[in-house]
Amino acid sequence: MRFQVLALDSSTNEMDTLVVGYDSMESLGEACSRLSDHSQKLLQTLIERGEIKAEKGQCHSLHLVDDEFSKLILVFMPKAETRAAVLGPIDAMSGALKSFGSVNAAISLPAHALVHGQLLALCNTIADRQYQFDHYRSGDKTPSKLTDVSFLSDDDLSATLSLADGLLAGGTLTKNLGNTPPNVCTPSYLVEQAHALADKHANVHSHALDVEQMSALGMGCLLGVGQGSRTPPALIVMQYQGAGSDTAPIALVGKGVTFDTGGISIKPSANMEMMTYDMLGAATVFGAIEAAATAKLALNIVAVVPSAENMPDGNAIKPGDVLTSMSGKTVEVLNTDAEGRLILCDALTYVQREFNPSQIIDMATLTGACITALGHINTAVMGNHQPLIDDIIEAGLTAYDPAWQLPLSEEYDEQLKSKLADVANIGGAPAGTITAGCFLQRFIENDTPWAHLDIAGTAMGGQKLATGRPLRLVLQVLANAAQQ
Ligand code: BES
Ligand code: MN
Ligand code: ZN
């Protein structure tokens, strides 16, 4: 799929679909002046009959005859004050393009909808609606038909559309990795995918640490989680170089638990299959590298993905075990199901010591409590550096992929006291998302600016496939950083 801008006086006669977002009956009439006289007459009749109005929720898909366009999609798109009111028409438009099976679409939008964030959200939503995951179905596959999406405008939209291209490539990767079943998507599969990404882009490099190398570095927590599985853990490193080598990289760290049974603290079997998505933090980091490379962002990124399968077996870690992390801190494992923080803490230590990043953003499907707190709407954000958190919240507002801050104050950290080790891996039921954040914070050195995103609610949308969120937010953060 291609996103492009077409000057208002360009011809659209190669296109099968005209999409019009209108905020008044006048703007509808104006955008429809591209239609044949016959179609305009039809439209006039429908308007006179009161079938087409400037009213919330209006979305019409019409087949045309005697016109260059064979399909017409009309969506009422008023200047909106709330996120829901902005995203509603965007969803309707994207859904109509999918159900119409359009191939080449010309899109006319009111000026207020041509701003960066809304246009990016529209491109991303169109791509999401076209996305199919039928790799594991035999028989007929129904690939997306949409090849060209052209925005009719005389504005320079190139910066936004270049990010949209990145988001399309990165989002597809994130969702494909996320949706690949857990018997296929193992830590070693993710290692191969990192190498594939490096093969694709000249300025992306990858390597991975195996069990032996991780042992040599003392990554006892990551290795501890991996030791209950037949498929060995790995630590994956991807580097994107979009700026000079003297600029410190931004670090992205993503939880890559390719399946989370809970380990010896085993989960109930109802919905356990959803734990195939416990690597969506990793998948989002992969998508961010692909997106940054595609959009050619001018910054350096180091991505670190600790990956393991959390299984119960004769060699698995047990409640009560004490592990020694790479940092030297000892961790009492009170619950083997709080495994995400165990693999992340070693990844955080590694990325700080090895790459000295200017800031660190980690992302993880870390706690069920996050879904209870924020549902599937907001990503939870917390960290040690308010300006970085503010940047993330701001980027989420800009890109219509919101994040909400939870307080990471030291009172909560008390809950992590261990009776014999430096820290316990759980802090009890109250504020489970925050105590998980407190655990991670203990592994941040020298006050390096760090933010943690709990994406359990946003990356997983109930019983459906991976949502692709919050890649739009993450890419917006990176794009903003590249501008500075
Ligand atoms: N991967 C889960 C968190 C999760 C649960 C994400 C449900 C999405 C949906 C994580 O490893 C986990 O099991 N967390 C525990 C932590 C608890 C033991 C402190 C949880 O949330 O119950
Ligand atoms: Mn778990
Ligand atoms: Zn998990």
Side-chain angles (χ1 to χ4, degrees):
M1 197 187 313
R2 249 189 347 170
F3 298 111
Q4 57 196 351
V5 57
L6 266 189
L8 289 172
D9 60 6
S10 310
S11 141
T12 43
N13 56 20
E14 298 290 295
M15 323 227 153
D16 66 340
T17 306
L18 178 65
V19 182
V20 177
Y22 62 99
D23 57 359
S24 66
M25 294 318 275
E26 297 75 63
S27 67
L28 174 63
E30 210 171 296
C32 287
S33 61
R34 287 178 180 273
L35 297 174
S36 67
D37 292 347
H38 181 266
S39 301
Q40 294 194 47
K41 231 176 264 167
L42 164 73
L43 212 57
Q44 203 49 50
T45 312
L46 292 172
I47 292 169
E48 277 159 21
R49 279 206 225 143
E51 310 261 9
I52 297 175
K53 297 176 281 206
E55 237 175 51
K56 186 176 178 225
Q58 288 264 310
C59 176
H60 303 273
S61 299
L62 307 172
H63 289 281
L64 303 178
V65 291
D66 289 335
D67 202 306
E68 304 263 5
F69 294 104
S70 59
K71 301 169 172 101
L72 174 65
I73 296 170
L74 306 174
V75 178
F76 182 54
M77 200 174 244
K79 190 165 170 35
E81 300 300 331
T82 66
R83 183 169 54 243
V86 168
L87 293 181
I90 285 178
D91 278 335
M93 198 173 267
S94 308
L97 271 173
K98 171 64 182 173
S99 35
F100 239 162
S102 299
V103 179
N104 293 289
I107 304 187
S108 165
L109 297 175
H112 63 75
L114 279 168
V115 297
H116 165 76
Q118 294 192 31
L119 194 56
L120 190 64
L122 176 57
C123 293
N124 194 199
T125 309
I126 290 173
D128 279 347
R129 284 301 190 115
Q130 298 289 326
Y131 176 81
Q132 304 261 12
F133 190 70
D134 41 22
H135 190 267
Y136 292 90
R137 285 190 211 284
S138 59
D140 288 349
K141 316 223 172 177
T142 48
S144 158
K145 293 188 188 135
L146 190 60
T147 59
D148 283 275
V149 175
S150 306
F151 296 98
L152 298 166
S153 171
D154 289 334
D155 300 348
D156 177 12
L157 306 176
S158 55
T160 302
L161 296 186
S162 144
L163 274 192
D165 286 337
L167 204 42
L168 171 61
T172 304
L173 178 61
T174 296
K175 286 182 284 185
N176 283 344
L177 291 176
N179 293 332
T180 298
N183 57 325
V184 176
C185 183
T186 58
S188 58
Y189 179 86
L190 289 179
V191 171
E192 286 165 26
Q193 296 299 308
H195 295 329
L197 201 49
D199 287 343
K200 185 172 168 191
H201 300 282
N203 54 357
V204 175
H205 299 278
S206 73
H207 66 278
L209 306 189
D210 61 17
V211 168
E212 206 179 311
Q213 291 164 308
M214 291 189 285
S215 303
L217 289 167
M219 296 184 171
C221 290
L222 172 46
L223 290 170
V225 173
Q227 77 190 31
S229 169
R230 295 283 181 94
T231 151
L235 186 100
I236 300 163
V237 181
M238 290 171 281
Q239 286 169 275
Y240 165 69
Q241 185 140 29
S245 50
D246 49 338
T247 1
I250 293 186
L252 302 179
V253 178
K255 172 181 174 182
V257 171
T258 60
F259 196 82
D260 181 11
T261 64
I264 296 299
S265 312
I266 198 162
K267 288 181 180 295
S269 43
N271 302 320
M272 201 203 269
E273 75 283 357
M274 294 303 282
M275 288 300 113
T276 183
Y277 299 119
D278 212 17
M279 37 62 72
L280 285 175
T284 307
V285 164
F286 272 82
I289 295 290
E290 169 78 44
T294 304
K296 301 191 166 56
L297 294 187
L299 81 171
N300 294 333
I301 306 171
V302 58
V304 173
V305 168
S307 184
E309 191 182 59
N310 189 22
M311 297 287 275
D313 93 341
N315 193 43
I317 51 170
K318 307 168 290 297
D321 281 3
V322 173
L323 305 175
T324 302
S325 66
M326 180 182 171
S327 73
K329 289 194 165 76
T330 56
V331 181
E332 182 187 14
V333 178
L334 290 176
N335 189 321
T336 65
D337 198 11
E339 85 297 340
R341 61 198 79 181
L342 294 175
I343 68 170
L344 287 167
C345 72
D346 280 337
L348 288 169
T349 302
Y350 178 78
V351 78
Q352 290 171 95
R353 299 202 177 162
E354 200 73 16
F355 297 97
N356 203 23
S358 57
Q359 47 186 293
I360 306 169
I361 304 173
D362 80 70
M363 50 209 83
T365 49
L366 205 58
T367 63
C370 186
I371 309 178
T372 308
L374 297 175
H376 300 287
I377 312 295
N378 279 280
T379 294
V381 57
M382 59 215 92
N384 64 354
H385 190 73
Q386 196 58 39
L388 174 59
I389 295 168
D390 289 342
D391 284 351
I392 290 169
I393 292 170
E394 188 61 38
L397 292 174
T398 301
Y400 294 90
D401 185 0
W404 196 267
Q405 183 174 5
L406 297 181
L408 201 62
S409 59
E410 58 198 8
E411 297 103 312
Y412 294 101
D413 185 81
E414 301 273 313
Q415 289 173 228
L416 294 174
K417 275 197 180 133
S418 161
K419 63 181 189 286
L420 78 170
D422 295 337
V423 63
N425 82 326
I426 56 169
T433 304
I434 297 174
T435 53
C438 291
F439 180 92
L440 298 177
Q441 183 169 19
R442 291 206 180 204
F443 295 86
I444 303 301
E445 299 167 0
N446 309 320
D447 290 321
T448 304
W450 156 78
H452 160 59
L453 305 180
D454 195 328
I455 67 170
T458 48
M460 296 169 48
Q463 293 300 307
K464 293 187 225 85
L465 294 170
T467 64
R469 286 185 67 193
L471 183 59
R472 200 157 83 219
L473 157 71
V474 171
L475 187 60
Q476 187 66 52
V477 170
L478 296 172
N480 291 346
Q483 298 279 304
Q484 282 162 9

